Amino acid sequence: MKIKLAPSLLAADFSKLGEDIKGIQSYVDMLHLDVMDGHFVPNISFGPPVIEGIRGVTDIEFDVHLMIEKPLSYIEKFVIAGADIITIHVEAPDDTAKCIQLIKSLGKKVGIALNPDTPPYSIKQFVDEIDMVLQMTVFPGFGGQSMVKQALENIPLIREMIGPNTDLQVDGGIYTENCGELTALGANVIVSGTGIFRMPNPVVAALELRKAAIAGQKA
Ligand code: DX5
Ligand code: ZN
């Protein structure tokens, strides 16, 4: 499956988002936007106004990762702001099937995310309806954490469940050094925040991440 890189904006410089996005956009496949509400996760990031603002400076695909307790009430606002893919957590209290239907009815791609300790079978009933699964490789809430190894066991199980044509994204603690391990297990969409935006040269970091991801896939 095609390797896709999705830098997480959470690690960019918030005083110059437009500049950071323009610097990286030709070297990556989508932009990963981490939305946190202080309820589903113990942190607050940004919401639709920021996404609408950066939509004005780039045409790159916006991959919106909703770490929020009540996605159902906000999905439409994210679509209006410019989201192309909307990922909701299976652990969120809102009805997952309803969220999926709403995102699809608005003409957008759907992802389902699961935390490192959520059993893969909890998403099984939805796999025919979705475009992407997001296996968290850290517990969501903060950038810059170390990868939780427990999550790796889920990757081959999910790949088997979704088949070869659905994207399998991994997110959290990913760098050139460990990225090949994830693609060898079956992941094909790589999120990296610290590993791209906090590196001395984000473009070089993105090129190296892609190289490592492709090498892992061939291994
Ligand atoms: C964690 C977020 C991740 C995170 C990735 O809650 O979903 O996208 O920002 O950042 P790094 O690559 O720094 O772990
Ligand atoms: Zn994320």
Side-chain angles (χ1 to χ4, degrees), residues 8 32-34 65 67 134 136 171 191:
S8 166
H32 185 80
L33 302 171
D34 287 305
H65 177 194
M67 287 161 276
L134 164 51
M136 290 305 300
D171 179 10
V191 176

Side-chain angles (χ1 to χ4, degrees), residues 8 10-11 32 34 36 41 65 67 136 138-145 171-175 191-195:
S8 166
L10 203 57
H32 185 80
D34 287 305
M36 305 175 181
V41 288
H65 177 194
M67 287 161 276
M136 290 305 300
V138 297
F139 286 94
F142 302 90
Q145 304 182 77
D171 179 10
I174 304 175
Y175 301 88
V191 176
S192 182
T194 307

Side-chain angles (χ1 to χ4, degrees), residues 32-192:
H32 185 80
L33 302 171
D34 287 305
V35 176
M36 305 175 181
D37 67 351
H39 292 277
F40 184 73
V41 288
N43 197 9
I44 296 177
S45 59
F46 52 80
V50 169
I51 296 177
E52 193 185 338
I54 57 172
R55 184 75 288 177
V57 305
T58 181
D59 290 327
I60 197 166
E61 192 165 45
F62 278 180
D63 162 37
V64 177
H65 177 194
L66 294 183
M67 287 161 276
I68 67 176
E69 209 170 72
K70 297 196 168 97
L72 213 44
S73 323
Y74 294 96
I75 284 165
E76 198 170 353
K77 293 185 175 70
F78 285 102
V79 169
I80 293 168
D84 298 296
I85 309 171
I86 297 187
T87 297
I88 45 144
H89 268 264
V90 72
E91 302 89 356
D94 272 357
D95 189 292
T96 305
K98 274 192 193 157
C99 292
I100 294 172
Q101 286 322 315
L102 178 58
I103 297 165
K104 287 173 83 162
S105 74
L106 295 167
K108 301 300 167 189
K109 291 192 203 165
V110 189
I112 292 196
L114 63 163
N115 288 341
D117 61 352
T118 296
Y121 67 74
S122 61
I123 60 158
K124 197 171 188 342
Q125 58 182 305
F126 307 114
V127 295
D128 293 337
E129 305 288 323
I130 59 176
D131 301 284
M132 184 170 83
V133 173
L134 164 51
Q135 172 65 57
M136 290 305 300
T137 42
V138 297
F139 286 94
F142 302 90
Q145 304 182 77
S146 300
M147 191 181 285
V148 175
K149 290 284 172 185
Q150 183 192 353
L152 304 194
E153 296 164 18
N154 291 350
I155 298 172
L157 302 174
I158 293 170
R159 174 52 74 198
E160 203 188 319
M161 206 185 278
I162 64 180
N165 300 320
T166 300
D167 281 329
L168 175 41
Q169 183 175 56
V170 279
D171 179 10
I174 304 175
Y175 301 88
T176 306
E177 296 70 29
N178 58 14
C179 160
E181 195 182 343
L182 302 169
T183 54
L185 290 168
N188 72 299
V189 185
I190 306 296
V191 176
S192 182

